[in-house]
Amino acid sequence: MDTYYIVFNVIPTKEGKQLSNIDGALAHVFIVDTSSENALELAKDYLSVYNWEIVSIDQKPVVITVEQATRSEVGLKCFQRAQRDKAYGFFVGWTKDGKLGDPVEIVKLRP
């Protein structure tokens, strides 16, 4: 199995009441799976569970290695946790007033 890295441009759904102050975000998702197609569908399902609507796919699924993941601390954490839990990610959002937020805590993605 490979680890895939995917980036989505997302907005909160109406059900995402806890995200009412967020206008949008970039979702960086790491999925361990056998194919890029499966990884993409799994990532879409996870984002839906977390009340995010996909606006666009900014980075289609690409295989990422541990060497590539070590280029950033958060990338390495996500890679390692995806190896353990099969899916992990983090969000960088912006508020309705246009301010860019800090990366949201890394979250375990699960349906």
Side-chain angles (χ1 to χ4, degrees), residues 21-32:
N21 64 329
I22 303 293
D23 200 36
L26 290 178
H28 300 259
V29 181
F30 295 73
I31 301 284
V32 177

Side-chain angles (χ1 to χ4, degrees), residues 31-103:
I31 301 284
V32 177
D33 208 297
T34 56
S35 75
S36 61
E37 294 83 9
N38 288 347
L40 180 60
E41 290 308 310
L42 191 56
K44 288 178 179 180
D45 290 345
Y46 287 149
L47 290 171
S48 174
V49 167
Y50 280 88
N51 296 315
W52 292 101
E53 177 184 329
I54 297 168
V55 175
S56 63
I57 301 171
D58 289 6
Q59 170 64 62
K60 292 182 180 179
V62 293
V63 173
I64 186 169
T65 64
V66 68
E67 293 80 18
Q68 292 167 315
T70 58
R71 293 181 187 156
S72 76
E73 185 178 329
V74 73
L76 181 58
K77 285 181 183 178
C78 284
F79 183 89
Q80 291 170 333
R81 291 182 182 181
Q83 294 298 301
R84 184 184 70 206
D85 299 325
K86 304 301 181 210
Y88 235 81
F90 70 96
F91 301 85
V92 178
W94 50 91
T95 60
K96 294 188 184 294
D97 61 7
K99 294 181 182 175
L100 185 63
D102 291 328

